[in-house]
Amino acid sequence: MHDPRAHVLRLVAARGVELGEIDPIEVDDPRSIAARVFREMRIISYDPRRPARTQTTEPIERGYKGHAFLSVPVVYASPGRVPTPLASSI
């Protein structure tokens, strides 16, 4: 979830990892997939079987347990308002 005061994304739910194991991610982190998805409000994915379709650089260096991933923005919009990113999921 986005913490606007600290300008970071904080892990609030996880599977296969404890919540305290992951440090907050700076929203401006140029290497973070989650931060990029949050900033750009678009889906980013990587499938090692189709590297030509890769939408990101160095996916394996990010330290994910698996090589393939799908990261999507979590967006909220009140009726008649502009959508606002709340978080990103990976």
Side-chain angles (χ1 to χ4, degrees):
M1 292 298 293
H2 182 229
D3 179 343
R5 289 184 179 171
H7 200 57
V8 296
L9 299 174
R10 296 187 187 280
L11 184 65
V12 296
R15 182 175 180 178
V17 63
E18 294 296 322
L19 293 181
E21 291 180 19
I22 306 295
D23 291 331
I25 301 166
E26 296 286 334
V27 171
D28 297 327
D29 183 342
R31 291 182 25 95
S32 170
I33 301 296
R36 182 173 167 191
V37 165
F38 178 82
R39 288 190 311 267
E40 297 176 8
M41 289 184 25
R42 69 181 183 96
I43 296 169
I44 297 178
S45 63
Y46 176 73
D47 182 345
R49 297 172 299 173
R50 296 182 173 180
R53 290 184 163 182
T54 299
Q55 298 175 342
T56 186
T57 58
E58 305 166 358
I60 295 170
E61 287 185 20
R62 296 300 301 147
Y64 300 128
K65 290 183 179 182
H67 295 289
F69 67 82
L70 171 66
S71 184
V72 298
V74 178
V75 180
Y76 171 77
S78 298
R81 302 278 179 152
V82 176
T84 303
L86 297 175
S88 63
S89 73
I90 191 159

